[in-house]
Amino acid sequence: MERSWKFNADTMVCVMSLYLNRNCSPVTTSVQALETKLACMPGKCHVDVAFWGGVVPGNQHELVPMVKAGVVGFKCFLIHSGLDEFPNVSEADLHLAMTQMKGTNSVLLFHAELDSCGCTDVTGDVTKYETFLASRPREWEQDAIKLVCRLCLQYKVRCHIVHLSSGDAVPIIRQAQSEGAPLTVETCNHYLTLYAEEVPTGATEYKCAPPVREKSNQDVLWEAIGSGVIQTIVSDHSPCPPEMKNPETGNFMTAWGGISSLQFGLSLFWTGAKEKGFSLRQVQRLLCENTAALCHLDGSKGSIAVGKDADFVIWDPEATIMIETGMIQHRHKLTPYLNRPFYGVVHKTIVRGRIVYEANQPIPSASGQPILLQ
C-alpha cells in the first residue's frame, strides 16, 4: 500500500515572494512598483504570492507607505546585488531605514556579505571552483553579520539573515540572540546538500552567493539548525537563462550567481534531514511554520489548523525521485541537482483547498492570489 502523507506547503508562498523582489523589474522599492506587480498578477500565479519590499539608498521614506500597502517585510544587500536597479546600502542608509521601520513590527532581511578585504581581485583559474570560493571568503559574512547584530540590538527592529552559508558566523549570531536581538536566520538547501569539494571544473551551475562551502562547514550549519540558531530553510531560487552561466567557457567569476531549486525544496531538505534524524514535525516547522511567522502570515499560513488556509502537499517521504531535465517546471532548467536521487515524491499540491499540482504537472488554471498584510 502506498504511503501518503500530508505536509504543509506554505514555504512555496514565502520563497516565491522573495524571488519576485529582486529578479523582476521593477524591483519593489516603492509603492508604485508594488502596484505595478500587483496589476500583472491576475491569472499568472499557481500559488498565493506575498511581496517583499526592498531597501536601497534614498528610499527610506517609501518604507512605511509600503508597510501600509501590505508588503511582508524588506530586503537589502550589503554588497552589490548583481542588479544595478537594486543597489546595496551603506551603514548610514541602514540607520535611516531602521529609524523609519522602528515600531512597525516589519522585518528587514539582509544579504549579509561585506567586501571588507578586497578579495574580488583573487587570481587563479576562473574555471576552478576554488578560485571563486576564495573571492568570497567567510570573513565577508562574519563582518556583515557583526554589523547586522549591532544594529539589530541598537534599534530592536526585527532582522533576518538570508541564505547563511558560513558556519563561522554561527557563534556571532548565537551571542546576539542571547543578548535579546530580535534576529532570525535562514540557510538554503544548496548549502546543506552540496559542498565545495565536489564541484567539477567549469560547473558554473553550482555558483551562488554566498558560495557553497566545504563539507566541514555544512556540518556546522546542520548543527545550528538542530540547536535552533537557524530557524528557516529556503530555496533562494535564483534562475537565469543558461547562457548567463557561461556554459561554453565555464568562467565562475563572470557567471550569474544563482541556483534553481524551488520545485524540489521539500525533497532536498527531507533527504538531508532524514539522514540527520530530524522528525517530520521539525521539517514542517523549518520549512513552513517558522517561514510563515517571519512573514506575518502565521494567522492563515504555516500549519494545518481550523481557520487557516488549506495549503498542503500529499507526498511519499520514503519514495525516491531522480531529478531529470524533463520534470523541471521552472523556465530555465539548469541546476546542479540533475541526475541526483532524493527522498520524497510529491503527488499533489493543494492551495486553499484547490489542487494546483498533480502528477508532476501544474494544473492549467492559475488560482493563486496576492497576499497583502493588513
Side-chain angles (χ1 to χ4, degrees):
M1 182 174 70
E2 182 184 65
R3 296 172 293 264
S4 293
W5 295 72
K6 293 181 180 179
F7 194 89
N8 187 284
D10 294 319
T11 186
M12 295 173 63
V13 177
C14 302
V15 174
M16 282 194 68
S17 65
L18 180 57
Y19 161 63
L20 283 170
N21 180 45
R22 184 169 72 97
N23 290 96
C24 290
S25 182
V27 293
T28 316
T29 54
S30 66
V31 172
Q32 182 179 2
L34 173 64
E35 291 172 345
T36 297
K37 290 184 174 180
L38 287 168
C40 295
M41 281 188 62
K44 297 179 181 178
C45 297
H46 289 267
V47 298
D48 295 347
V49 178
F51 289 86
W52 294 106
V55 173
V56 295
N59 83 326
Q60 66 271 14
H61 296 301
E62 289 278 358
L63 304 185
V64 172
M66 279 195 280
V67 170
K68 293 179 179 179
V71 299
V72 296
F74 298 92
K75 183 182 181 183
C76 68
F77 281 77
L78 299 179
I79 196 170
H80 194 279
S81 71
L83 294 177
D84 293 337
E85 191 180 6
F86 195 171
N88 59 283
V89 292
S90 66
E91 181 175 344
D93 296 321
L94 288 172
H95 283 287
L96 294 173
M98 295 178 87
T99 298
Q100 293 292 316
M101 290 181 63
K102 196 171 175 63
T104 65
N105 199 33
S106 193
V107 60
L108 180 55
L109 281 59
F110 291 84
H111 178 111
E113 287 184 289
L114 273 175
D115 183 0
S116 49
C117 62
C119 296
T120 49
D121 295 330
V122 168
T123 58
D125 186 342
V126 295
T127 68
K128 297 290 188 181
Y129 185 73
E130 53 262 35
T131 301
F132 168 65
L133 185 60
S135 76
R136 296 184 91 107
R138 300 184 189 203
E139 288 79 8
W140 281 19
E141 284 188 87
Q142 291 161 234
D143 291 344
I145 288 170
K146 287 176 183 177
L147 171 62
V148 173
C149 290
R150 175 163 54 82
L151 294 176
C152 186
L153 284 166
Q154 177 180 346
Y155 287 95
K156 293 299 175 75
V157 168
R158 293 174 60 220
C159 296
H160 181 79
I161 305 297
V162 301
H163 40 65
L164 177 71
S165 80
S166 173
D168 288 353
V170 169
I172 302 169
I173 295 165
R174 182 182 288 113
Q175 179 64 30
Q177 291 171 337
S178 72
E179 293 174 4
L183 176 67
T184 52
V185 186
E186 70 186 42
T187 191
C188 305
N189 289 309
H190 39 272
Y191 302 130
L192 301 173
T193 305
L194 311 172
Y195 47 90
E197 293 91 335
E198 70 172 353
V199 179
T201 298
T204 52
E205 63 269 24
Y206 286 79
K207 180 181 176 179
C208 60
V212 170
R213 302 192 187 277
E214 299 84 358
K215 182 65 169 65
S216 58
N217 178 81
Q218 185 182 100
D219 295 336
V220 176
L221 294 179
W222 276 109
E223 291 170 3
I225 296 168
S227 67
V229 174
I230 296 172
Q231 298 84 21
T232 56
I233 312 300
V234 305
S235 73
D236 193 32
H237 183 78
S238 184
C240 68
E243 57 269 22
M244 292 180 67
K245 281 288 191 179
N246 297 341
E248 294 182 357
T249 64
N251 186 333
F252 277 101
M253 300 305 295
T254 57
W256 174 264
I259 289 177
S260 300
S261 65
L262 181 62
Q263 179 183 352
F264 304 106
L266 176 54
S267 299
L268 294 174
F269 184 63
W270 171 240
T271 299
K274 175 183 171 71
E275 179 183 336
K276 299 290 184 181
F278 284 65
S279 67
L280 280 172
R281 178 71 180 100
Q282 287 174 293
V283 172
Q284 186 270 337
R285 278 199 297 264
L286 290 159
L287 293 183
C288 308
E289 191 172 311
N290 294 347
T291 312
L294 171 70
C295 304
H296 296 290
L297 299 178
D298 45 325
S300 59
K301 304 287 186 183
S303 60
I304 299 173
V306 174
K308 293 193 176 185
D309 293 346
D311 298 345
F312 55 92
V313 299
I314 298 173
W315 72 310
D316 184 345
E318 300 300 329
T320 57
I321 181 173
M322 179 74 73
I323 296 179
E324 299 173 347
T325 302
M327 68 172 59
I328 297 175
Q329 296 298 327
H330 46 260
R331 180 183 301 172
H332 304 304
K333 314 300 182 184
L334 190 65
T335 174
Y337 301 112
L338 281 179
N339 302 315
R340 289 173 176 256
F342 296 96
Y343 280 103
V345 175
V346 174
H347 296 294
K348 294 182 182 182
T349 301
I350 292 91
V351 175
R352 284 179 288 101
R354 296 183 179 184
I355 297 173
V356 299
Y357 176 90
E358 185 173 21
N360 201 40
Q361 292 293 328
I363 302 302
S365 59
S367 58
Q369 296 181 359
I371 302 174
L372 297 173
L373 291 183
Q374 301 301 316

